[in-house]
Amino acid sequence: MKVNSVKLISALSVLASGVWLVGLWFTIKDQFFYEAARPVKEISLEDVAEEQKDGFQIVALGDSLTRGTGDESGKGYVGYVLDELKTKTKQTIYVKNLAIKGQKSAGLVSQLQQVEVQRQIKQADVILMTIGGNDLFQGGETLSHFSLERINQAKAKYLRNLHTIFKTIRNLNQDAVVFYVSLYNPFNDLADAKKTSAIVREWNFDSAEVAANYPKIIVVPTFDLFELNVKDYLYSDHFHPNKEGYKLIGERVASLITFAEGEKNHDE
Amino acid sequence: MINLIHNEMIKIVRKKRLLIIAAIIAVLVALFTYAQLKRVQSIQERLGTTDWRSQLQQQIIDTQNRLNSSGISEEWRKFLQIRLRQQQYYLDHNINPSAPGAPTFMRMFVENSIDLFIPLMVMVISADLVSSEASGGTIKLLLTRPVKRWRILLSKYLAMILAVSFILLSLGVISYLISGIVFGFGGWTLPLLTGFSVQGEELDTSNVHLIPQWKYLLMEFGLAWFVSIVVGTLTFMLSVLMRSTAAVMGIMLAALISGAILSSMVSSWESAKYLFMVNLRLTDYVSGMAPPIDGMTLGFSMTVLTVWGLAALIISFLVFTRRDVY
């Protein structure tokens, strides 16, 4: 009995040694002597676009504001929008948050070229986005080296990118309502608040002008939300909103979505 | 010779270590299967979708956000960057790198256990092959037989190789069976990408090609076997040199654990790449992870390991055949 089990184990071991040797040989052949054969095919949007879609799809795009930086619960305004909407509809809501901290408009333009991002936008019912904050403030640099010329340069570039962004989204998806959340002035309790506020107002106005060229793009203002008591609504970095600040934005956006959803149902 | 090896196999099997190792593997696999199941569930819950493309896209976004955070270490940034490029490549080519299934689980298990867990199991077998005979005094009986010393040692060494093969076989079979109950037994023919090469922070994709998962697995097990043989040989040498099995285990354990720690912090100490213990993660070259030190390749690591293994083997035989036994 004992001897038999030894024989069995030995036989299995010899067999296994052979198998692992073959594996090692495969590795050497594959990793060292691989000759570039047919390249692996990249997918295109057509390959993956036609897939089942269920529930109410929200896609969030943009920068740290959409990501929720500064909200210790990590929700951000997107999370509060979701909370609000859940009380209003029985549909299952899916949120895909594709926002990246520190992203500028140019970054979003290239992100929109990715096939998977395009697929998700194509399926979206609602698109939430913030962009431009990093183009304008550049991490506070704009304020410390204040120069109108530089700001105007940055703005011209940003507005061109914004055109591309809206055009790309509209080409992919004609029906989804886009909520473009515009900028507030995080510095309006500082010394040169008048100057900075004027710049942000103008920035928002020009962005709204771009948005007006495309159907169903709603510019959601936040400037007023942070005008009084700005300190109470900002995170300790004095730039991003805190939990309360995000709640304000979230509630405002959520109230608009109900309206949009109702309108859509009315159309059908 | 076959009789000698058979004799050694009887000793190994009688000690019941193989059974214990199989039991340890079974417990760990059950644990990891459960952890993996929880992870899959939590991702699904968070994203509300089972669509792998959305999940992979979300992982990419999460990584990008982490990369943009301040205060992450240079090594970690590089690691994330490489992984990011790779995930994007998988996504762009419509291939799911972690489709659920027992083979996928096996692949992850081997990749994560090649540098510590598998060597530890190998060590359990090979640490006392010679030293226990020395400390127990049975070595005298063994050497009084009319067989040349080198043949005795060779039979022990070959028995060790057989035991290593058996350990890997049981690792494969046990992890397949247990994880298969939860994730399903299919997925052998799924395509996977290999041939990524890492240059600094860049991921070179010019040699990337598709291979089916069964081949990928076979390759990774082959590499794990190679690593095990080298670790086994080193342990074997210590076992020849020292009478105390505990000392053998202690030294090997220290070396293996230091390797795991060093791998995460040696990127600026370049000559560390000649140490055997930072070269154990051979499967990373197949899957395309960044090596611990720039410029390390599969060929380099295999050469380093071979040199260490051969040196250990030569020392073992020289010492064993010339030593006075009393």
Side-chain angles (χ1 to χ4, degrees):
Chain A
M1 179 65 208
K2 256 286 149 25
V3 176
N4 277 343
S5 71
V6 171
K7 276 196 173 139
L8 181 69
I9 289 179
S10 304
L12 278 175
S13 306
V14 172
L15 206 72
S17 308
V19 174
W20 305 144
L21 266 176
V22 169
L24 201 58
W25 179 70
F26 268 156
T27 314
I28 290 167
K29 206 176 118 212
D30 187 271
Q31 299 288 308
F32 295 123
F33 303 105
Y34 176 76
E35 285 173 30
R38 61 212 155 90
V40 188
K41 193 173 142 275
E42 278 204 37
I43 46 161
S44 58
L45 192 54
E46 289 79 52
D47 298 340
V48 286
E50 294 309 320
E51 300 213 343
Q52 85 293 355
K53 177 202 128 174
D54 45 7
F56 189 79
Q57 303 270 352
I58 298 179
V59 172
L61 298 169
D63 50 28
S64 51
L65 286 170
T66 304
R67 185 72 191 177
T69 308
D71 183 350
E72 61 269 33
S73 67
K75 282 178 162 179
Y77 77 88
V78 178
Y80 297 113
V81 168
L82 181 64
D83 287 352
E84 289 275 312
L85 290 186
K86 271 183 182 161
T87 64
K88 287 183 188 168
T89 174
K90 282 179 196 139
Q91 267 181 299
T92 330
I93 305 169
Y94 298 106
V95 175
K96 286 163 186 163
N97 194 336
L98 305 181
I100 301 167
K101 267 193 274 186
Q103 178 150 269
K104 292 185 182 180
S105 56
L108 184 53
V109 168
S110 61
Q111 199 188 6
L112 287 177
Q113 299 307 313
Q114 294 173 17
V115 171
E116 175 59 19
V117 174
Q118 293 188 347
R119 184 182 74 97
Q120 297 191 3
I121 287 177
K122 218 177 157 86
Q123 293 191 346
D125 293 301
V126 159
I127 295 169
L128 307 175
M129 62 179 282
T130 56
I131 196 71
N134 297 305
D135 293 76
L136 172 58
F137 295 116
Q138 319 216 353
E141 220 176 280
T142 305
L143 277 177
S144 49
H145 311 283
F146 193 83
S147 130
L148 263 181
E149 196 188 339
R150 268 176 67 171
I151 290 171
N152 283 332
Q153 265 174 17
K155 188 160 73 177
K157 220 165 93 189
Y158 156 77
L159 290 174
R160 267 200 310 278
N161 287 333
L162 196 61
H163 261 296
T164 318
I165 291 165
F166 287 152
K167 204 191 297 172
T168 314
I169 293 176
R170 275 290 83 105
N171 279 343
L172 289 167
N173 186 335
Q174 284 84 33
D175 302 319
V177 185
V178 178
F179 293 96
Y180 169 83
V181 177
S182 63
L183 300 186
Y184 57 88
N185 181 12
F187 308 112
N188 73 5
D189 58 340
L190 300 182
D192 44 5
K194 258 200 167 144
K195 242 197 291 188
T196 51
S197 285
I199 291 165
V200 174
R201 269 200 308 274
E202 211 181 299
W203 187 282
N204 282 338
F205 179 77
D206 291 342
S207 305
E209 288 284 294
V210 173
N213 291 317
Y214 303 90
K216 288 193 188 171
I217 291 186
I218 317 292
V219 178
V220 183
T222 56
F223 191 88
D224 52 338
L225 295 176
F226 292 86
E227 225 167 351
L228 297 171
N229 310 324
V230 67
K231 264 193 181 146
D232 297 344
Y233 296 123
L234 286 187
Y235 181 57
S236 58
D237 63 0
H238 212 277
F239 186 69
H240 295 105
N242 61 14
K243 196 173 180 174
E244 299 305 315
Y246 278 121
K247 263 186 192 155
L248 286 180
I249 304 178
E251 278 160 18
R252 182 167 277 184
V253 175
S255 66
L256 296 171
I257 290 180
T258 338
F259 177 67
E261 199 182 0
E263 188 181 60
K264 200 171 164 190
N265 292 339
H266 190 71
D267 282 349
E268 276 160 7
Chain B
M1 193 72 208
I2 293 206
N3 283 333
L4 278 175
I5 298 174
H6 186 239
N7 192 31
E8 292 301 327
M9 284 306 284
I10 292 177
K11 289 185 200 164
I12 290 179
V13 173
R14 290 247 168 104
K15 282 178 194 154
K16 299 228 163 69
R17 297 255 171 84
L18 288 175
L19 255 177
I20 295 172
I21 288 174
I24 295 176
I25 292 173
V27 171
L28 280 193
V29 167
L31 218 65
F32 294 151
T33 304
Y34 185 73
Q36 180 70 12
L37 182 69
K38 282 279 157 207
R39 188 168 158 260
V40 170
Q41 281 172 347
S42 87
I43 291 177
Q44 270 177 25
E45 211 167 285
R46 192 162 65 89
L47 295 177
T49 171
T50 53
D51 177 23
W52 69 267
R53 282 193 207 90
S54 308
Q55 290 180 358
L56 191 56
Q57 178 69 58
Q58 203 58 53
Q59 282 176 26
I60 290 172
I61 296 286
D62 288 348
T63 310
Q64 281 175 317
N65 275 296
R66 229 173 293 164
L67 276 170
N68 283 352
S69 308
S70 50
I72 65 172
S73 76
E74 206 43 50
E75 269 111 50
W76 185 233
R77 177 186 301 276
K78 204 175 104 183
F79 170 79
L80 287 179
Q81 215 132 33
I82 298 293
R83 207 184 56 182
L84 175 74
R85 301 246 159 83
Q86 203 182 26
Q87 286 173 336
Q88 190 67 53
Y89 195 89
Y90 266 97
L91 193 54
D92 288 345
H93 294 79
N94 204 18
I95 291 166
N96 185 355
S98 49
T104 306
F105 178 87
M106 280 165 81
R107 181 161 56 85
M108 289 175 183
F109 189 50
V110 172
E111 284 173 3
N112 286 311
S113 53
I114 189 170
D115 62 338
L116 199 57
F117 178 62
I118 295 177
L120 280 182
M121 295 298 113
V122 169
M123 202 180 81
V124 169
I125 286 289
S126 51
D128 69 341
L129 275 183
V130 183
S131 62
S132 70
E133 306 248 13
S135 57
T138 47
I139 188 109
K140 287 176 207 162
L141 295 174
L142 200 59
L143 294 181
T144 48
R145 294 201 288 179
V147 183
K148 288 213 165 71
R149 275 196 191 184
W150 67 266
R151 288 174 71 100
I152 290 178
L153 195 64
L154 186 63
S155 68
K156 282 186 178 293
Y157 185 69
L158 291 177
M160 182 211 77
I161 290 183
L162 289 181
V164 164
S165 303
F166 188 78
I167 291 174
L168 279 168
L169 182 70
S170 34
L171 186 103
V173 172
I174 293 171
S175 59
Y176 180 65
L177 291 180
I178 294 184
S179 65
I181 297 170
V182 179
F183 300 117
F185 293 99
W188 289 100
T189 53
L190 285 174
L192 284 167
L193 294 167
T194 184
F196 295 99
S197 64
V198 178
Q199 257 117 31
E201 291 200 351
E202 289 304 312
L203 186 69
D204 180 6
T205 55
S206 56
N207 279 326
V208 170
H209 52 279
L210 281 173
I211 53 174
Q213 179 143 273
W214 63 266
K215 194 176 170 191
Y216 198 96
L217 260 173
L218 205 54
M219 283 164 58
E220 294 205 322
F221 269 87
L223 289 173
W225 183 72
F226 179 76
V227 167
S228 307
I229 298 284
V230 172
V231 172
T233 310
L234 290 167
T235 321
F236 189 73
M237 175 192 74
L238 291 175
S239 174
V240 170
L241 294 178
M242 280 179 280
R243 279 168 161 260
S244 153
T245 307
V248 175
M249 289 219 175
I251 293 175
M252 276 316 283
L253 207 57
L256 290 172
I257 291 175
S258 72
I261 299 172
L262 275 175
S263 303
S264 63
M265 52 192 260
V266 288
S267 68
S268 40
W269 172 27
E270 210 185 315
S271 47
K273 66 184 178 187
Y274 299 109
L275 295 172
F276 84 91
M277 55 271 202
V278 296
N279 284 296
L280 296 181
R281 295 195 62 91
L282 294 183
T283 47
D284 280 2
Y285 299 111
V286 175
S287 59
M289 293 291 181
I293 300 168
D294 272 350
M296 284 168 70
T297 61
L298 181 61
F300 174 83
S301 287
M302 285 180 80
T303 313
V304 168
L305 289 177
T306 309
V307 170
W308 277 80
L310 281 178
L313 200 58
I314 292 169
I315 293 174
S316 313
F317 275 87
L318 284 183
V319 171
F320 190 77
T321 48
R322 293 180 182 187
R323 182 160 64 185
D324 292 333
V325 177
Y326 42 84

